[in-house]
Amino acid sequence: MKETILSLCPGPWEDYELIDTGGFEKLERFGRFILSRPEPQAIWDKSLSEAEWKKLAHAHFAKEKNNPEKGHWQQLKSMPHNWQIQYANSDGLKMKLNLAQTSFKHIGLFPEQAVNWDYLYQKVKAFPGKNPKVLNLFGYTGAASVACRAAGAEVSHLDSVKQVVTWTKHNMESSGLDGIRWIVDDAMKFIKREERRGNRYQGIILDPPAYGRGPDGEKWILEEQINEMLKTCRAILDPKDHFLLLNMYSLSFSSLIAANLIQSNFGKVKNAEHGELYLEEKQGKKLPLGIFYRFSSY
């Protein structure tokens, strides 16, 4: 039996462009500003010269010598620390980007996730009942939450960092929306409580990091805890009308691992799709940026 593994890339996006990759870095345009930052998957050579990268970039993320995960942004040209871009495919989502919020390379947006924002928006719009309840675990700055809310869902957005939840609220309000429920908590602890309470959701979104900490220092290691988390998600997912999206970014994971996890915890599911997400740069190379598995009852 043949199984199709998908490779999905966002379509044309006026406010975002991957210009070049290579040398463990990527060069991207967000609105009017171009950033260069680390990318461990980009193990090949750059297509453009170092001089061209420096000429184009407004800012560069410089890694710490002793900790490659941390560093600081070096501004090469005049630009603000905060600015906003728009994604037009899901009711005009507006998202704030920030260079100074953390000591990490992240700026508040993962562009490859746009294909999942489209999927979630469409699933909420097509939901057979009224206003599905959607839980976004590890919600980060909330583009997925805002997309679901724009489509009419009742959204609960959870993240362990209070400042990130505040960031999401800004994205919601900038997009002309309201009504998202904000939760600052450890994801595993929260869903265990929801299971005990008998609460159910029609949609669940999981985009867990490889490593993380809860608000009280709770430890999260993807390989060790994702199986248990999916077991609990099955208990709180509406058995009749539902959808679930799992996204993971780990250099050692393939989408077949996600497929095995879903099969062992949910059994046979309907309308399943899995594969990898990527971005295609102007020079033609394709940058892989995580794996996904998604399914729905309708």
Side-chain angles (χ1 to χ4, degrees):
M1 179 178 176
K2 290 186 177 180
E3 182 174 11
T4 300
I5 299 178
L6 302 176
S7 294
L8 302 183
C9 176
W13 181 354
E14 185 176 341
D15 274 359
Y16 176 77
E17 180 180 32
L18 182 61
I19 299 170
D20 193 18
T21 60
F24 301 99
E25 290 186 306
K26 55 188 172 184
L27 187 67
E28 304 163 282
R29 178 180 61 81
F30 294 90
R32 295 187 294 114
F33 305 109
I34 296 174
L35 309 177
S36 67
R37 53 181 177 154
E39 178 46 63
Q41 301 269 51
I43 64 175
W44 45 83
D45 290 336
K46 297 174 179 176
S47 296
L48 303 178
S49 68
E50 291 291 346
E52 288 174 295
W53 275 54
K54 288 179 181 177
K55 183 179 178 181
L56 289 169
H58 289 81
H60 167 73
F61 187 85
K63 296 183 291 185
E64 290 183 3
K65 288 183 180 179
N66 298 328
N67 187 349
E69 294 297 316
K70 289 189 176 183
H72 64 279
W73 284 98
Q74 298 174 334
Q75 286 198 214
L76 307 175
K77 299 177 187 174
S78 177
M79 68 171 291
H81 282 294
N82 296 285
W83 73 106
Q84 188 171 274
I85 68 170
Q86 181 165 321
Y87 181 67
N89 291 22
S90 298
D91 275 9
L93 305 185
K94 293 181 180 177
M95 293 159 284
K96 182 182 85 168
L97 307 182
N98 189 312
L99 294 186
Q101 190 78 15
T102 71
S103 60
F104 295 92
K105 64 181 180 179
H106 305 302
I107 60 170
L109 180 68
F110 295 94
E112 71 278 0
Q113 289 296 321
V115 294
N116 282 330
W117 307 336
D118 293 344
Y119 173 85
L120 294 166
Y121 183 86
Q122 291 157 8
K123 283 298 170 185
V124 173
K125 280 290 189 184
F127 190 73
K130 280 179 111 181
N131 303 328
K133 289 174 60 180
V134 176
L135 174 62
N136 187 6
L137 298 166
F138 308 98
Y140 191 47
T141 55
S145 294
V146 177
C148 288
R149 184 64 186 142
E154 297 178 14
V155 180
S156 296
H157 174 100
L158 183 147
D159 199 276
S160 64
V161 181
K162 186 177 181 181
Q163 297 94 317
V164 170
V165 171
T166 302
W167 194 337
T168 308
K169 186 177 181 182
H170 176 92
N171 288 341
M172 176 192 71
E173 292 172 346
S174 296
S175 301
L177 300 167
D178 59 19
I180 292 177
R181 174 193 180 200
W182 311 112
I183 305 162
V184 179
D185 204 344
D186 176 75
M188 188 75 84
K189 285 183 176 178
F190 177 79
I191 60 173
K192 293 285 188 185
R193 288 199 304 273
E194 291 293 86
E195 181 183 11
R196 292 194 295 270
R197 293 166 180 156
N199 289 336
R200 297 290 181 270
Y201 295 87
Q202 285 75 52
I204 297 179
I205 306 162
L206 302 99
D207 190 2
Y211 304 96
R213 292 280 182 179
D216 297 320
E218 299 92 342
K219 198 173 184 180
W220 168 265
I221 300 175
L222 180 65
E223 291 88 341
E224 296 178 6
Q225 292 167 281
I226 187 61
N227 191 48
E228 181 186 355
M229 175 162 279
L230 287 169
K231 278 186 175 69
T232 308
C233 284
R234 179 177 182 177
I236 64 174
L237 187 66
D238 188 317
K240 182 174 180 283
D241 297 321
H242 58 255
F243 61 88
L244 182 142
L245 167 65
L246 171 64
N247 191 85
M248 296 185 288
Y249 182 86
S250 174
L251 297 181
S252 62
F253 274 25
S254 80
S255 68
L256 293 176
I257 290 179
N260 291 337
L261 283 165
I262 295 296
Q263 181 181 346
S264 67
N265 286 295
F266 292 86
K268 190 175 181 180
V269 296
K270 296 179 179 178
N271 304 306
E273 299 175 326
H274 71 96
E276 65 178 331
L277 305 179
Y278 72 94
L279 293 170
E280 185 168 0
E281 31 122 296
K282 285 180 69 176
Q283 317 307 318
K285 298 188 294 293
K286 296 178 174 67
L287 177 66
L289 287 164
I291 61 170
F292 72 93
Y293 194 104
R294 57 199 195 188
F295 65 88
S296 74
S297 61
Y298 58 96

